[in-house]
Amino acid sequence: MIAIADSPIIIQECIDAAQSEGAGAVDVFIGTVRNHNKDKSVVRLEFETYDSMAVKKMQELADEAQVRWNTEKIVMVHRKGVLSIGDVAVVIAVATPHRAASFEACKWLIDTLKQVVPIWKKEVYDNGEEWLEAHA
């Protein structure tokens, strides 16, 4: 399951979709909206995406991870739109035969997603707003 979501991400659905009888491990990354960044109070985040390109790039990352870490299944879902403090912004779940590969693949996927997938994040503060770099 690779998707850009307009509505809240259901974490358990992502975990269930990643389950595989051949997997001895499922590693899950859950990115949430925090209430501060760079000594500023964050009120909300706004994500904009180029949906078709984002999904295409996410699938390319999943395909590469499958080759590099012999993954059984990969789930990547990222929200778009306005998110409040505490909302889930992204879930990545990676199933592999062994735990080390699952951890490594999951970390690589979130780090690389933030670098190459066309998803833009605006932080809205109590005293202004700012578009952030992809790696922020």
Side-chain angles (χ1 to χ4, degrees), residues 29-96:
F29 173 81
I30 303 166
T32 58
V33 179
R34 64 180 179 261
N35 66 1
H36 67 283
N37 189 28
K38 302 178 188 172
D39 297 322
K40 296 180 183 179
S41 293
V42 175
V43 175
R44 69 179 182 274
L45 295 182
E46 298 177 11
F47 288 99
E48 291 187 11
T49 67
Y50 178 2
D51 291 4
S52 61
M53 182 58 75
V55 169
K56 180 180 177 192
K57 293 300 284 184
M58 290 163 71
Q59 185 62 57
E60 289 172 5
L61 296 179
D63 293 345
E64 184 172 344
Q66 197 287 318
V67 170
R68 291 174 71 171
W69 289 282
N70 189 32
T71 61
E72 295 281 328
K73 290 186 180 177
I74 293 175
V75 173
M76 284 192 288
V77 182
H78 202 295
R79 279 285 304 275
K80 70 177 183 178
V82 177
L83 281 71
S84 300
I85 304 305
D87 284 351
V88 174
V90 60
V91 173
I92 297 176
V94 181
T96 61

